[in-house]
Amino acid sequence: MQNGAIAAQFEELAELLEIQGANPFRVRAYRNAARAILDSTESIAAAADSIAKLREFPGIGEDLAKKIQVLVQTGSIPQLAELREQVPAGVVAMLRVPGLGPKKVFALFQEHGIRSLDELRLAAEQNRIAGIKGFGKKTQDAILKGLEVAESAGRRVYLSEAKQVAEQIAEDLRSVPGVAQLEVAGSCRRRKETCGDLDLLAEASQPDAIMDRLAGHRLVEAIIARGDTKMSVRLFKGLQLDLRVVPAESFGAALQYFTGSKEHNVVLRRRAQDMDLKLNEWGLFRGEQMVAGRTEQEVYAALGLPVFPPEIRENRTEFALAEQGPLPRLVELDDIRGDLHMHTTASDGSASILEMAEAAKSRGREYIAITDHSKRVSMANGLDAPRLLAHWKAIDEAQKSIKGIRILKGIECDILEDATLDLPDDVLEQADWVIAVLHYGLQQPREQIMKRLMCAITNPHVDIIGHPTGRLVDRRKPADIDFDVFLDACAKHRVMVEINANPARLDLDDIHAAAAKKRGIPIVISTDAHGFADMDLMQFGVFQARRAGLTRDDIANTLPVDAFLERLRQAKG
DNA sequence: GCCGTTTTCGGCCCGACTGTTTTCAGTCG
């Protein structure tokens, strides 16, 4: 059983307990455990043979360790099954309606027998909600509006989209008179894979002016709330944006606070408490006296901490890192010298070899690899051996006509469902760079998936495994990979792993990239560009690498081309 | 339900906004 599946059960348990009005700290304990399990690079199921081993995970004590054992052995938790009997799934779904929390949902269910989103809509339409104690006309209207949000699945948007929208609105609001500072905060600033909402923070002399501008912004569809310092609006697709306005002396504290994560902030708060201080979005206080708040740097320094890059503010490893000394310098976009995964018109790309090379050069890349699809991907016009050999000749020709960038002859070679490669060894050995990937049969059982990966890793001509899991963020599940075995094999056979920078892939994810680093496996960040514009996606791969805590030394395509090729030769030797 | 070099009991981060309230609970982040 995978960590994600175990965590999901505890998360569901937390929701069900919360609806039933359980002790909030008990609910939190389940949530904390779910998160710790999700964040761990180690397999919980593998540790389930021993209570002591399980208890080493943060937030897992005697009781939860036992529940995990039962879950791994039998596939279910009896308590969860019992709770599901008591509270229908439709009731849990009602939690996704903005404005409805566990207390209101429980009241609707228990006292008025409303058991699903459909029944909730009917009740609201028939004006049956407004009379209920604790509910009124406004709540009823809010429910009708909120149902759309809940049913549009409360979907998170990709970081690429969130970042673009947030930065656009931020830019528009910066021109409002009296706005001294304005920053994007929240999960967007932390560069999470997806954002559930957007957070903007402003220092402004006239809050009303900036709120008026936001209210009239072309991207704003509705106003959810507006107070003296805080305003919430709804954008397209139900996406919410929160704007906070604070004075200059609080800007740093507020930026820190609204960047989060929540878990990171909880640790800071406790640390402040231990120092007889109090931290909130207005500043760091000793009694009534403000100690810090103007800048993030000031706040962290007063707590005896470095300014953590936003990408690692997740209460995973950052506090332990800070204990060990200065924080490592995380990889940056400017460190990237090569882009080793891209397509041309030979398969499903939209530009020629030379056009791609020119575009890469203009973005400061010193080398690229042209890696069109192999024949199995027939929909993408994948290349068979004769076409590939001809394509490589064309690459040699293109190289002659462009200076200042090195073009490597590569291939994105499919690992077929029967655990063989899509091209023969005598072809692959002529390549400068071979990416092996799973495209089809991602739902095969773990055994077969691992057989396929091992076939690629042990092939002497394969340099790297591209987008290893095949997952699409929020859309397609990853292949069932035993990561311990997979990464150990990559390390042993000196095969690199990719962080695919496409915002829909971001594969490997941060957790597994960190696990690869731990084993010393070189990681390559690639755009998988199918046209020029895609080359700008490199930043999203870099964000993912930063979230994994990776430095320049962990990323092979930060090397100059000769050093990179030398490393490749050594790996093959 | 977890956790502990002040503690094995009694804590567990903190504030803004809304609605239905006559002084605050619920929700949200």
Side-chain angles (χ1 to χ4, degrees):
Chain A
M1 184 172 290
Q2 302 219 29
N3 286 5
I6 299 172
Q9 303 231 7
F10 280 132
E11 182 56 43
E12 189 183 350
L13 210 40
E15 281 188 325
L16 289 166
L17 284 170
E18 194 171 33
I19 289 175
Q20 296 212 326
N23 176 346
F25 297 109
R26 186 168 162 232
V27 173
R28 185 188 296 175
Y30 279 101
R31 292 228 158 89
N32 287 343
R35 208 186 96 94
I37 291 167
L38 210 53
D39 282 353
S40 175
T41 57
E42 287 165 53
S43 164
I44 302 290
D49 56 336
S50 143
I51 292 283
K53 267 196 260 173
L54 287 172
R55 292 198 58 175
E56 284 175 23
F57 292 92
I60 294 183
E62 187 71 26
D63 184 87
L64 290 183
K66 281 187 185 151
K67 284 197 171 69
I68 291 171
Q69 274 196 331
V70 172
L71 174 57
V72 170
Q73 282 163 10
T74 69
S76 64
I77 305 174
Q79 190 194 2
L80 178 57
E82 215 172 279
L83 282 167
R84 279 175 178 160
E85 294 278 315
Q86 294 165 15
V87 183
V91 176
V92 179
M94 281 156 52
L95 285 174
R96 292 205 304 271
V97 178
L100 289 190
K103 294 287 193 296
K104 285 202 162 82
V105 165
F106 186 71
L108 291 170
F109 167 55
Q110 194 69 5
E111 291 161 36
H112 301 88
I114 295 171
R115 307 160 57 88
S116 69
L117 291 173
D118 285 340
E119 291 179 11
L120 180 63
R121 161 169 292 122
L122 196 63
E125 283 170 353
Q126 294 176 345
N127 200 28
R128 285 189 280 122
I129 302 286
I132 298 174
K133 184 165 181 287
F135 294 76
K137 182 82 171 68
K138 287 196 173 177
T139 305
Q140 178 169 285
D141 291 345
I143 286 172
L144 282 172
K145 285 213 179 89
L147 274 165
E148 286 171 30
V149 177
E151 282 164 354
S152 73
R155 293 206 45 109
R156 299 173 65 90
V157 301
Y158 287 152
L159 173 63
S160 49
E161 190 176 6
K163 183 167 176 277
Q164 189 187 4
V165 171
E167 287 177 352
Q168 177 65 59
I169 295 176
E171 198 49 45
D172 295 340
L173 295 182
R174 283 194 186 102
S175 66
V176 173
V179 173
Q181 300 186 73
L182 197 144
E183 295 295 336
V184 177
S187 53
C188 185
R189 183 168 180 236
R190 299 202 315 281
R191 310 307 191 202
K192 291 261 291 183
E193 293 168 355
T194 60
C195 297
D197 61 17
L198 305 178
D199 296 281
L200 297 183
L201 178 70
E203 178 207 336
S205 54
Q206 303 155 330
D208 272 343
I210 188 169
M211 288 187 184
D212 286 347
R213 177 73 70 89
L214 179 59
H217 196 279
R218 66 193 160 79
L219 293 176
V220 171
E221 288 186 357
I223 294 168
I224 300 167
R226 178 171 173 170
D228 295 335
T229 66
K230 179 181 170 181
M231 176 168 177
S232 296
V233 298
R234 184 89 50 211
L235 310 174
F236 59 94
K237 291 195 230 169
L239 184 66
Q240 182 173 331
L241 179 144
D242 296 328
L243 169 71
R244 294 290 290 251
V245 186
V246 300
E249 63 268 25
S250 295
F251 192 82
L255 183 58
Q256 191 290 310
Y257 180 86
F258 292 111
T259 297
S261 65
K262 196 171 64 184
E263 292 80 6
H264 177 88
N265 288 355
V266 165
V267 174
L268 290 190
R269 289 263 164 83
R270 281 210 272 262
R271 190 180 175 97
Q273 277 189 332
D274 290 345
M275 297 168 76
D276 277 329
L277 298 166
K278 187 177 74 169
L279 180 63
N280 59 33
E281 61 261 55
W282 301 104
L284 184 64
F285 299 88
R286 173 167 284 119
E288 295 293 302
Q289 165 133 32
M290 186 188 279
V291 178
R294 190 167 290 271
T295 65
E296 275 196 328
Q297 211 277 331
E298 212 179 270
V299 173
Y300 278 111
L303 292 170
L305 291 167
V307 180
F308 297 99
E311 291 94 331
I312 62 169
R313 298 184 193 176
E314 298 289 344
N315 187 25
R316 284 183 185 151
T317 57
E318 72 270 28
F319 293 107
L321 274 177
E323 292 290 314
Q324 292 163 18
L327 293 178
R329 175 193 170 282
L330 301 181
V331 63
E332 293 173 7
L333 184 57
D334 284 347
D335 294 331
I336 303 293
R337 294 173 183 248
D339 189 351
L340 296 166
H341 187 161
M342 65 182 67
H343 298 267
T344 70
T345 47
S347 61
D348 61 348
S350 61
S352 69
I353 299 166
L354 207 51
E355 287 169 324
M356 291 301 273
E358 292 282 5
K361 190 179 160 187
S362 75
R363 285 164 175 78
R365 310 275 178 262
E366 297 164 22
Y367 52 105
I368 59 172
I370 300 291
T371 55
D372 278 296
H373 287 289
S374 61
K375 65 180 190 297
R376 172 68 174 84
V377 193
S378 51
M379 274 179 64
N381 193 23
L383 304 172
D384 59 14
R387 284 181 64 211
L388 177 58
L389 293 170
H391 190 42
W392 284 343
K393 281 212 171 99
I395 291 174
D396 282 335
E397 287 305 309
Q399 179 71 81
K400 286 179 191 159
S401 58
I402 183 169
K403 290 206 169 20
I405 187 161
R406 179 76 175 270
I407 313 174
L408 304 182
K409 296 185 290 256
I411 180 71
E412 178 178 12
C413 180
D414 259 63
I415 308 169
L416 303 178
E417 291 94 318
D418 64 357
T420 60
L421 293 177
D422 199 17
L423 287 161
D425 282 359
D426 63 343
V427 172
L428 293 179
E429 75 176 349
Q430 299 175 58
D432 296 321
W433 177 247
V434 176
I435 307 174
V437 297
L438 304 171
H439 276 128
Y440 297 96
L442 291 171
Q443 302 314 314
Q444 287 180 328
R446 169 175 281 212
E447 204 172 56
Q448 185 62 17
I449 293 283
M450 292 307 294
K451 200 172 156 199
R452 293 167 73 186
L453 288 172
M454 292 307 293
C455 147
I457 293 168
T458 54
N459 183 298
H461 309 302
V462 169
D463 298 299
I464 183 169
I465 306 297
H467 47 69
T469 76
R471 68 102 176 238
L472 294 178
V473 174
D474 268 6
R475 283 211 308 251
R476 186 167 73 205
K477 281 188 178 321
D480 187 2
I481 295 173
D482 183 333
F483 263 93
D484 287 333
V485 173
F486 169 59
L487 293 176
D488 284 346
C490 287
K492 180 178 171 196
H493 295 278
R494 309 190 69 172
V495 169
M496 303 184 188
V497 291
E498 179 182 80
I499 291 180
N500 190 293
N502 188 297
R505 289 194 181 270
L506 297 176
D507 181 15
L508 295 175
D509 66 16
D510 54 333
I511 301 276
H512 291 125
K517 170 193 168 95
K518 214 163 148 187
R519 290 168 169 85
I521 300 168
I523 292 159
V524 172
I525 309 175
S526 302
T527 62
D528 200 352
H530 284 67
F532 325 134
D534 290 350
M535 288 189 188
D536 295 327
L537 299 176
M538 185 63 85
Q539 56 177 322
F540 297 102
V542 172
F543 295 147
Q544 187 80 321
R546 289 171 62 84
R547 296 198 318 112
L550 306 189
T551 67
R552 184 168 51 197
D553 293 343
D554 300 319
I555 309 296
N557 54 318
T558 60
L559 291 168
V561 64
D562 290 334
F564 175 77
L565 292 173
E566 178 56 28
R567 174 174 284 193
L568 217 49
R569 263 194 297 278
Q570 284 174 5
K572 294 201 178 186

